[in-house]
Amino acid sequence: MKIHYSIFITFLFVSMFSCKDDDINVENNGLVGKWKMIEFLYDPGDGSGKFQKASEGESSIVEFKANGDFKETKGLLYSSINSYTRYKILNDSKIELSGAPSSSAYPTHTWTYSNLTATTVILGFGCDESCAGKFIAIK
């Protein structure tokens, strides 16, 4: 009986340590890919803002597809209708979001991006005061 117990415990430990997190070691191709916000910056306009860890409710996921499709899934604290469905890279630091219903309430919107690597990016959301998110590549 002890040998069965030992085999079971060994199998349990091997199973636990052989599992991998799908979000670790993911690399995107430029902006193309899926990104999860891990920190956010809100500045009241005086330059005193600092990045803070984003909770699950604050975190959002954005996806830039190679065909120009865009999708944003906001955290529960900020949930709202995703009004933009397309993106276009304007230059090496700006993205234009569009595809919203034809209405003056949803004109095209410009975001910025910086510090782009295969695993991280900072996206600026085009607020009047500084607001941005630090994102990591996810599957």
Side-chain angles (χ1 to χ4, degrees):
M1 186 70 167
K2 282 186 174 183
I3 202 153
H4 290 323
Y5 183 70
S6 296
I7 291 171
F8 175 75
I9 295 297
T10 303
F11 177 73
L12 182 64
F13 278 109
V14 169
S15 295
M16 285 175 34
F17 292 111
S18 66
C19 294
K20 62 182 179 182
D21 185 347
D22 287 339
D23 290 349
I24 295 176
N25 298 325
V26 173
E27 292 189 359
N28 287 340
N29 183 13
L31 278 176
V32 174
K34 212 172 201 182
W35 303 92
K36 180 176 182 175
M37 184 171 64
I38 57 168
E39 294 182 22
F40 67 91
L41 169 75
Y42 171 74
D43 190 294
D46 63 3
S48 66
K50 294 186 186 329
F51 278 97
Q52 304 167 37
K53 183 176 176 158
S55 70
E56 279 302 311
E58 295 166 322
S59 185
S60 63
I61 295 174
V62 294
E63 184 174 8
F64 299 95
K65 294 187 177 180
N67 67 357
D69 286 347
F70 171 78
K71 181 178 180 183
E72 179 180 21
T73 306
K74 296 180 182 179
L76 293 176
L77 294 176
Y78 300 104
S79 119
S80 66
I81 296 170
N82 182 10
S83 54
Y84 300 102
T85 59
R86 305 280 302 156
Y87 79 97
K88 177 171 57 172
I89 296 175
L90 299 176
N91 59 36
D92 61 359
S93 66
K94 289 186 181 179
I95 311 159
E96 180 181 79
L97 301 177
S98 63
S102 296
S103 149
S104 61
Y106 297 106
T108 59
H109 192 67
T110 303
W111 283 6
T112 60
Y113 67 96
S114 61
N115 299 14
L116 176 64
T117 71
T119 58
T120 61
V121 66
I122 295 176
L123 296 174
F125 305 122
C127 306
D128 289 335
E129 279 78 26
S130 290
C131 65
K134 285 185 181 179
F135 289 77
I136 58 168
I138 62 170
K139 201 169 210 175

